[in-house]
Amino acid sequence: MAAVATPNSIEASTGDQALVRLEGIRRHFPVYRGNLLRKHTGTVKAVDGISINIMPGQTYSLVGESGCGKTTTSRMLLMADKPTDGDIYFDSRPMNQFSGAERRNFRASVQAVFQDPWSSLNPRMRVDQIISEPLVTHQRLSRDAVRGQVQELLQVVGLHPFHAERYPHEFSGGQRQRIAIARALSTRPKLIVLDEPVSALDVSIRAQILNLLKELQATYELSYLLIAHNLATVRYMSHMVGVMYLGKIVEESPPIELFTDPQHPYTKALISASLPAHPRQQREEIVLTGEVPSPLDPPGGCAFHPRCPFVMERCATDIPVLREYQPGHATACHLYD
Amino acid sequence: MTNDLILQVEDLQTHFFTRTGVVKAVDGISFELRRGETLGIVGESGSGKSMTAWSILGMVPHPGRIVGGSINYLGENLLEKSRGEMRDIRGSGICMVMQDPLTSLNPVFTVGDQLVETLRLEYDEPKRSLRQRAVDLLANVRIPAAEERLTNFPHQMSGGMRQRVVGAISISRAPNLLIADEPTTSLDATIQLQYLRLLKDIQEQTGAAIIFITHDFGIVARMCDRVAVMYAGRIVEQSDVEDMFDYPAHPYTEALLQSVPDLDTDVDMLPSIEGQPPSLDALPEGCSFAPRCPYAWDKCRDYPDEFTVADRHTSRCWRSE
C-alpha cells in the first residue's frame, strides 16, 4: 500500500514485488488536419502496448532510437501525460484510482533528472531555492529544517554547503547535474527517471556522475528508469534492459545476457552500430536498410520487418509477441518460434 | 598510405583577447597529416579542439586571433593568405563536414539547386552539364534515383539522405582535407554509423585526409589512424591510434580511457577523474592537468616538455622524461 515509507523500507527490498508496474500501456496521439473542420486523419502510436516491471533498488533501462517512445513512456510515469490505455501500478496500487493523498505522495516519490543541466535549472533561482522547491511543495518544514536538508543534500551529491547561495551559471556541467540530482533526492523519492543523464556532459565527468548515481542507489535503495542511447552506459547501470522499436518492446533481458547473446535482429543491429572500445575490436556489422518508418504509418506485422536482414514471409502479416525463450530473456521475433 | 604531406601545423597559437584578459584557447600545438590519413583530435569542452579546426579554416571568431605558429597546407602557409584566397581554399581544398544534416542545408532551395550552386564555383559550364555533374555526385554517395532527387527539397528527404547530400556537396570540389566537427550531443548510433561510413566512402573516393574533432574515443577507435589528445589548449599526447589505446603515456589519456564504460565487460565502479576541466582564464601554473592528476609531484609546477615515449608517440608529462 502507498503508505508514506522511507526509501529504505524493508518490504521494498523483497524481490518479486515491483515498485512500478506498467501493464499494456498505450499512448496514441490523434492527428488532425485543418483548423475549422478538423478531420481525424491518423494516429501516432508513440507507445503501443508495453509492460514493464521496475523493481525496488534496481535500474530499468529503455534503449532505442529517437522516436521509439522512450520519453513518452517516462512522461506517463511522471504523470506529465496519461496513457490512452493500460494501467500503471505504483506499490501495487493502480494510478488511475489514486486518492488525492496518494497522488501527492506519488508525485513526491517519483522524481526526474534530465539530459541538459543548462536548461533544466532555472537561471534566476539560487541553488538552495532550486533544491528546496520540491521540499517546500511537498512538506511543511521550518526554514531552518529546509536549510539543514539543503546542506545535507549538497553534501550527499558531492558539493559544498557554500554552494547553496550561488546561481546555476557559476557551475560547470557536472556540478549542475549534481544540483539536479540533489533536487530530485530532496523529496526522498523511490524512483528517479533519468533521461540521458550524462550525454550532455564532458567525457571525464560522466564516470563521476554515473558512479554517484550508483552510490545513491545503493544507499537509498532507489529505483531508476534510465533512458539512454549509449549501450555501454546502459550495461554499466542496469539490472534490466528493454529495447524499444516504434512504441513496442522488442527484447527484454538483464544486460549481460542482452549484450552477450542478443536475440532480436534490431538489438543486434544496435549493438553492431555502437562504437568499439579499442581499435582492434571488430564488431559484426549488421547494416540496416532504410530508416525508422514514420509512426504515423507503421508497417504491418512486425514493425521492424522492412529493415530486417532475416525477414521471413510471415513477418509482414503476423505481429510477434514478446515471449521468454530463455529464462528472464524475452524477445518479440518470429525467428525464435 | 603515401607519404605526401597535406597539412603541417606548427606551434599554432590562437588567443582570445577579452576584457578580462588573454585566453589561450590554442597554445602552441603541432601536428601533421598525410594524404588519406585520419587524425582524431580528442578533447573536452574548452580544450581548444574546435578552435584548432576554426584556425585551420581561417575562421577564428572575434575576439580571437592567431598570434603565432604556422599552418602549412600543401606547402603554403595559410596564415599568409588573404581573405579571398582563404575563401577559395575553404570551398575547394579544405572542407568542413557538419554532422547534423538538418541544419546544413537550405530549406527553401531544392537539393539540385544547392549542388549546382557549389559546382558553378568550380566549373564554368552550362547549367545542363552542371546538373549532370550533380546527378553523378549524388550517385557517388549512393543516393538511388539521383536524377529525381535533384528536384526534392531537403524536407522531402530522410535524415540519412540529407546527410548524403551534405556529403556530396563537400566532395563536389575534390577536397584534400575534410574536417568533421562533432557536436557534443550525439546522434542515434545507427545514424552516426551511417555518417561515419559516408566519410570513409568519401575518403576512399577522393583520398582526402580527415580530421575528426571529437570527445569520443569510440570514434577514434573506429575511424582514426592518428590521435592527438588536447587538454587546456595543448596537445598532451599524440600517437598512432593502437599505440595510444595499448600504452597511453599521459595520465589524462590513461584516466579518460579507463573512465569510459565498455560494452563488452562488466565493472562494479568505473575509475573516474576527479575535479573538472579547468577554465582557460584561470589555468594553474605548470601542468594544467596536475590538480586532477593522481601522479602529480613537485616537478609538475613547471609545464612539461614534449617527450618521445615511443616511435611516433609523444607525451607532455614529466613521468615520460
Side-chain angles (χ1 to χ4, degrees), chain A residues 126-129 131 147-148 150-168 170-171 175 179, chain B residues 276:
Chain A
R126 280 203 323 252
V127 168
D128 56 345
Q129 295 170 316
I131 295 177
R147 192 173 304 141
V150 168
Q151 307 274 309
E152 198 189 317
L153 285 163
L154 282 171
Q155 264 161 5
V156 163
V157 299
L159 294 169
H160 294 286
F162 63 79
H163 284 137
E165 278 154 44
R166 301 205 177 161
Y167 286 88
E170 298 173 74
F171 294 90
Q175 289 173 314
I179 295 169
Chain B
Q276 44 225 296

Side-chain angles (χ1 to χ4, degrees), chain A residues 65-66 172 175 202-204 206 208 211 214 229 232 235-236 256 274 276-281 283 285 291, chain B residues 44-45 158 160 186 188 190 197 215 218 221-222 242 245-246 261 263-264 266 268-270 273 275-276 292:
Chain A
E65 292 171 282
S66 332
S172 67
Q175 289 173 314
D202 269 324
V203 184
S204 75
R206 290 182 185 178
Q208 288 177 14
N211 286 344
K214 268 200 155 185
H229 69 246
R235 173 160 190 170
Y236 178 58
I256 298 174
S274 66
H278 193 284
R280 278 192 300 272
Q281 185 183 334
R283 291 198 197 284
E285 290 227 341
E291 319 250 333
Chain B
E44 302 178 76
S45 50
S158 68
S186 32
D188 280 333
T190 50
R197 279 223 191 84
H215 65 274
R222 195 172 193 285
E242 290 198 8
F245 282 83
D246 290 338
L263 185 53
D264 301 295
D266 273 301
D268 257 1
M269 273 294 157
L270 285 172
I273 309 176
Q276 44 225 296
R292 302 174 75 188

Side-chain angles (χ1 to χ4, degrees), chain A residues 229-251:
Chain A
H229 69 246
N230 183 320
L231 297 183
T233 305
V234 167
R235 173 160 190 170
Y236 178 58
M237 295 292 293
S238 315
H239 300 88
M240 200 65 171
V241 186
V243 181
M244 286 187 80
Y245 188 77
L246 277 181
K248 285 197 169 74
I249 291 193
V250 297
E251 185 163 359

Side-chain angles (χ1 to χ4, degrees), chain A residues 33-46:
Chain A
R33 209 180 189 159
N35 285 324
L36 195 59
L37 300 160
R38 297 220 310 170
K39 226 169 90 187
H40 184 226
T41 55
T43 308
V44 172
K45 298 177 178 172

Side-chain angles (χ1 to χ4, degrees), chain A:
Chain A
M1 291 301 285
V4 188
T6 53
N8 27 10
S9 63
I10 299 155
E11 44 144 50
S13 64
T14 53
D16 55 312
Q17 216 179 11
L19 174 71
V20 172
R21 189 151 58 91
L22 307 189
E23 219 174 70
I25 293 293
R26 283 171 218 281
R27 180 68 177 99
H28 294 181
F29 296 97
V31 180
Y32 298 101
R33 209 180 189 159
N35 285 324
L36 195 59
L37 300 160
R38 297 220 310 170
K39 226 169 90 187
H40 184 226
T41 55
T43 308
V44 172
K45 298 177 178 172
V47 175
D48 198 24
I50 70 168
S51 302
I52 62 178
N53 292 320
I54 304 175
M55 305 305 285
Q58 295 202 348
T59 303
Y60 190 103
S61 293
L62 287 176
V63 298
E65 292 171 282
S66 332
C68 73
K70 310 180 294 253
T71 300
T72 308
T73 306
S74 75
R75 281 173 55 83
M76 290 186 281
L77 203 50
L78 288 166
M79 278 185 138
D81 198 358
K82 271 189 186 159
T84 314
D85 194 18
D87 282 319
I88 298 177
Y89 296 85
F90 182 75
D91 270 347
S92 308
R93 286 273 299 150
M95 231 158 90
N96 54 12
Q97 290 172 23
F98 275 180
S99 66
E102 277 178 322
R103 190 176 293 266
R104 275 192 297 279
N105 170 49
F106 175 82
R107 286 204 188 271
S109 302
V110 181
Q111 294 288 322
V113 173
F114 297 103
Q115 173 173 9
D116 182 2
W118 277 266
S119 56
S120 68
L121 304 178
N122 187 337
R124 289 162 185 256
M125 284 166 81
R126 280 203 323 252
V127 168
D128 56 345
Q129 295 170 316
I130 291 173
I131 295 177
S132 64
E133 194 183 26
L135 262 181
V136 175
T137 314
H138 287 289
Q139 292 167 35
R140 287 173 187 279
L141 290 174
S142 71
R143 209 178 284 178
D144 278 349
V146 169
R147 192 173 304 141
Q149 296 232 6
V150 168
Q151 307 274 309
E152 198 189 317
L153 285 163
L154 282 171
Q155 264 161 5
V156 163
V157 299
L159 294 169
H160 294 286
F162 63 79
H163 284 137
E165 278 154 44
R166 301 205 177 161
Y167 286 88
H169 75 265
E170 298 173 74
F171 294 90
S172 67
Q175 289 173 314
R176 281 174 211 229
Q177 206 58 311
R178 287 175 194 269
I179 295 169
I181 293 169
R183 173 179 59 184
L185 286 175
S186 66
T187 56
R188 302 188 181 278
K190 294 180 180 176
L191 172 72
I192 300 183
V193 173
L194 305 169
D195 195 342
E196 297 279 7
V198 296
S199 57
L201 304 180
D202 269 324
V203 184
S204 75
I205 304 298
R206 290 182 185 178
Q208 288 177 14
I209 298 296
L210 292 178
N211 286 344
L212 172 67
L213 288 168
K214 268 200 155 185
E215 284 162 25
L216 294 172
Q217 177 165 57
T219 315
Y220 299 105
E221 221 177 302
L222 291 166
S223 299
Y224 292 142
L225 175 70
L226 173 69
I227 294 173
H229 69 246
N230 183 320
L231 297 183
T233 305
V234 167
R235 173 160 190 170
Y236 178 58
M237 295 292 293
S238 315
H239 300 88
M240 200 65 171
V241 186
V243 181
M244 286 187 80
Y245 188 77
L246 277 181
K248 285 197 169 74
I249 291 193
V250 297
E251 185 163 359
E252 187 186 52
S253 150
I256 298 174
E257 287 80 2
L258 187 77
F259 293 124
T260 51
D261 182 24
Q263 295 185 335
H264 198 281
Y266 180 63
T267 315
K268 289 182 183 172
L270 272 187
I271 292 173
S272 91
S274 66
L275 294 163
H278 193 284
R280 278 192 300 272
Q281 185 183 334
Q282 297 289 326
R283 291 198 197 284
E284 182 193 358
E285 290 227 341
I286 300 172
V287 184
L288 292 184
T289 47
E291 319 250 333
V292 182
S294 153
L296 241 182
D297 182 26
C302 170
F304 186 61
H305 86 265
R307 304 175 73 197
C308 183
F310 310 106
V311 62
M312 302 177 292
E313 217 171 282
R314 57 183 296 208
C315 299
T317 48
D318 301 356
I319 298 176
V321 287
L322 195 64
R323 206 175 285 162
E324 261 186 42
Y325 294 95
Q326 279 159 24
H329 189 159
T331 312
C333 179
H334 292 310
L335 281 177
Y336 299 93
D337 282 349

Side-chain angles (χ1 to χ4, degrees), chain B residues 115-285:
Chain B
L115 272 164
V116 167
E117 183 191 1
T118 320
L119 286 165
R120 189 170 288 137
L121 295 170
E122 184 79 6
Y123 306 100
D124 186 20
E125 290 175 7
K127 195 166 179 200
R128 185 180 302 163
S129 85
L130 287 178
R131 279 193 95 78
Q132 188 49 49
R133 283 185 188 273
V135 171
D136 295 345
L137 272 175
L138 289 183
N140 271 344
V141 291
R142 298 195 204 147
I143 289 184
E147 190 126 26
E148 287 96 85
R149 283 295 178 185
L150 281 189
T151 55
N152 278 180
F153 287 93
H155 75 265
Q156 292 169 304
M157 300 181 126
S158 68
M161 289 271 199
R162 275 185 294 218
Q163 225 170 39
R164 277 161 196 282
V165 173
V166 174
I169 290 177
S170 55
I171 57 169
S172 60
R173 299 178 71 197
N176 294 308
L177 172 62
L178 294 171
I179 299 178
D181 194 357
E182 171 211 26
T184 334
T185 44
S186 32
L187 303 168
D188 280 333
T190 50
I191 307 287
Q192 187 180 43
L193 187 65
Q194 281 174 8
Y195 168 75
L196 297 178
R197 279 223 191 84
L198 174 69
L199 282 173
K200 273 269 185 243
D201 255 24
I202 293 174
Q203 188 170 41
E204 272 160 29
Q205 282 180 31
T206 61
I210 300 182
I211 297 179
F212 264 102
I213 310 286
T214 180
H215 65 274
D216 192 340
F217 269 109
I219 292 207
V220 174
R222 195 172 193 285
M223 298 293 287
C224 299
D225 309 307
R226 291 277 295 169
V227 50
V229 179
M230 285 191 77
Y231 192 80
R234 289 195 169 107
I235 292 179
V236 294
E237 183 166 5
Q238 185 168 189
S239 82
D240 287 341
V241 68
E242 290 198 8
D243 213 23
M244 179 86 73
F245 282 83
D246 290 338
Y247 311 104
H250 198 281
Y252 176 60
T253 318
E254 189 188 16
L256 215 50
L257 283 171
Q258 281 175 356
S259 74
V260 180
D262 177 359
L263 185 53
D264 301 295
T265 47
D266 273 301
V267 283
D268 257 1
M269 273 294 157
L270 285 172
S272 68
I273 309 176
E274 293 307 307
Q276 44 225 296
S279 120
L280 286 174
D281 49 14
L283 280 184
E285 283 281 303

Side-chain angles (χ1 to χ4, degrees), chain B residues 22-42:
Chain B
V22 179
V23 175
K24 297 174 177 173
V26 178
D27 196 19
I29 65 167
S30 307
F31 61 88
E32 24 177 79
L33 203 58
R34 287 160 209 285
R35 183 165 293 280
E37 200 175 32
T38 306
L39 167 76
I41 298 183
V42 189

